[in-house]
């Protein structure tokens, strides 16, 4: 379990994270959502100990996490937005380098490399250098590298950024498999359909502060499970209804450029961002 208690980060006169309180359960797939500059990446950076909090603390299984807490840090692996692998290495070399950083025996490195590349569907591409891999393959390899040390917690900062639709769905399946093994995953993403499909709970934050925290289904239900979109020459306006019959009645009175659909987590995000977060 991960607990953030009054977690705060100042950069000079700017507050990136402002007394954030969250609890992520063991084995949970948890989403951190918010507009650009909301404090998501800063929060991930503090959990990974890349940044130190200005105030507050992070507890992992009840023990304080900091840069000296090697036992707690060993439970974490982080995957950043940026590719951080040498372009002239192939997959085997990337995995071996990671294993050596943690003083793993060569036999164990070879065994885990085989297992992880097969798990991610990368085994047949193991001899390709990084510069010749697709963006999706690079992201998958970064996950394999992060799993080399058998972490209990995986921190993912925009893991599917720049991926095409097929690669993104393949990544979702990979992450579901990991979470199915009781791995705790914390995800930041701008793809709301991704958070809705994967996350058990999501936190909506802005300006470093927690705005909403619940399951995607509960947040959608709170807004209204049925949406009517009205399109005009200059705008698209969505109205939300808790009752389907009420939505249909409204639709029947609307113009020709109106349509009924199911509400999504993206609607929740847009409503919050438009009316509350910004």
């Amino acid at each position: 379990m991960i607990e953030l208690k009054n977690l705060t980060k100042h950069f000079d006169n700017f507050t990136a994270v402002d007394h954030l309180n969250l609890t992520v359960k063991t084995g949970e797939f948890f989403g951190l959502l918010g507009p650009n500059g909301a404090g998501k990446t800063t929060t991930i950076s503090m959990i990974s100990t890349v940044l130190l909090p200005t105030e507050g603390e992070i507890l992992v299984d009840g023990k304080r996490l900091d840069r000296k807490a090697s036992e707690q840090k060993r439970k974490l692996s982080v995957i950043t937005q940026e590719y951080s692998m040498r372009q002239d290495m192939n997959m085997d070399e990337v995995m071996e380098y990671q294993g050596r950083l943690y003083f793993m025996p060569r036999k164990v490195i070879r065994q885990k490399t085989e297992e992880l590349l097969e798990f991610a569907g990368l085994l047949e591409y193991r001899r390709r250098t990084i510069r010749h891999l697709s963006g999706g393959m690079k992201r998958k390899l970064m996950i394999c590298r992060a799993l080399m040390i058998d972490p209990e917690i995986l921190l993912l900062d925009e893991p599917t950024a720049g991926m095409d639709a097929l690669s993104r769905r393949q990544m979702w399946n990979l992450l579901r498999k990991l979470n199915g093994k009781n791995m705790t995953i914390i995800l930041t993403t701008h793809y709301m359909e991704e958070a809705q499909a994967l996350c058990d709970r999501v936190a909506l934050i802005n300006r470093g502060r927690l705005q909403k925290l619940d399951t995607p289904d509960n947040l959608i239900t709170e807004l209204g499970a049925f949406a009517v979109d009205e399109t005009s020459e200059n705008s698209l306006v969505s109205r939300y209804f808790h009752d389907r019959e009420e939505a249909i009645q409204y639709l029947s009175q609307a113009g020709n450029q109106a349509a009924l659909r199911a509400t999504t987590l993206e609607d929740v995000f847009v409503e919050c961002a438009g009316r509350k977060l910004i």
Side-chain angles (χ1 to χ4, degrees):
M1 184 170 67
I2 304 170
E3 298 174 84
L4 311 184
K5 294 188 173 183
N6 293 314
L7 195 65
T8 302
K9 183 63 180 179
H10 301 305
F11 295 100
D12 297 325
N13 295 324
F14 173 68
T15 300
V17 177
D18 191 358
H19 295 88
L20 186 61
N21 291 281
L22 284 174
T23 298
V24 180
K25 304 169 188 174
T26 300
E28 186 172 25
F29 206 132
F30 191 91
L32 276 178
L33 311 179
N36 289 330
K40 304 182 300 296
T41 295
T42 301
T43 300
I44 289 288
S45 296
M46 286 191 284
I47 298 173
S48 66
T49 72
V50 171
L51 292 177
L52 296 177
T54 307
E55 300 175 35
E57 62 180 356
I58 302 167
L59 303 179
V60 176
D61 295 333
K63 297 180 180 179
R64 186 184 176 99
L65 175 68
D66 57 38
R67 289 177 177 170
K68 296 180 180 179
S70 57
E71 178 187 349
Q72 303 306 97
K73 285 178 62 178
R74 186 67 182 252
K75 296 180 179 182
L76 302 166
S77 271
V78 60
I79 298 171
T80 61
Q81 298 178 33
E82 296 80 20
Y83 300 124
S84 55
M85 299 175 290
R86 279 183 49 175
Q87 297 297 300
D88 59 340
M89 283 185 170
N90 63 33
M91 293 189 183
D92 280 342
E93 290 168 338
V94 168
M95 298 295 283
E96 181 177 355
Y97 182 73
Q98 181 73 358
R100 288 189 176 189
L101 285 176
Y102 288 88
F103 306 103
M104 296 171 61
R106 285 191 174 183
K107 183 178 180 180
V108 175
I109 292 174
R110 287 194 296 268
Q111 178 183 344
K112 291 192 66 64
T113 297
E114 196 85 13
E115 292 173 355
L116 290 169
L117 293 183
E118 183 175 13
F119 174 74
L122 295 174
L123 205 55
E124 62 182 298
Y125 308 104
R126 64 192 307 169
R127 303 301 180 191
R128 283 193 191 179
T129 55
I130 304 305
R131 65 168 54 92
H132 293 129
L133 297 178
S134 69
M137 289 180 182
K138 289 177 183 177
R139 294 287 183 191
K140 288 180 182 179
L141 181 58
M142 288 172 69
I143 287 181
C144 290
R145 184 180 64 175
L147 296 176
M148 196 71 171
I149 60 170
D150 292 323
E152 298 176 21
I153 301 162
L154 195 59
L155 308 175
L156 302 170
D157 192 12
E158 300 285 345
T160 61
M163 281 188 177
D164 60 56
L166 177 59
S167 297
R168 188 177 300 127
R169 293 302 175 96
Q170 291 173 339
M171 179 65 79
W172 292 4
N173 290 336
L174 181 60
L175 295 177
R176 285 191 184 103
K177 289 179 184 178
L178 292 172
N179 186 237
K181 297 181 178 182
N182 205 40
M183 178 175 287
T184 304
I185 299 177
I186 300 179
L187 166 80
T188 76
T189 181
H190 282 112
Y191 298 115
M192 295 300 109
E193 77 277 14
E194 183 165 278
Q196 185 174 340
L198 294 174
C199 294
D200 301 312
R201 289 189 303 152
V202 297
L204 291 173
I205 63 174
N206 190 56
R207 298 174 184 173
R209 294 184 178 181
L210 178 65
Q211 303 292 322
K212 286 183 177 291
L213 172 63
D214 213 328
T215 67
D217 285 347
N218 285 348
L219 290 172
I220 290 169
T221 300
E222 180 185 358
L223 179 61
F226 306 98
V228 174
D229 294 331
E230 294 183 87
T231 306
S232 67
E233 185 177 343
N234 299 317
S235 66
L236 170 66
V237 176
S238 299
R239 301 181 187 277
Y240 304 98
F241 302 87
H242 296 283
D243 182 76
R244 181 181 178 86
E245 295 304 317
E246 185 182 357
I248 292 174
Q249 182 179 357
Y250 182 89
L251 179 65
S252 67
Q253 299 171 356
N256 293 330
Q257 301 299 316
L260 174 66
R261 62 175 175 81
T263 303
T264 67
L265 187 60
E266 183 170 318
D267 294 313
V268 175
F269 177 82
V270 169
E271 286 296 301
C272 287
R275 298 180 184 179
K276 297 177 183 177
L277 296 182
I278 295 176

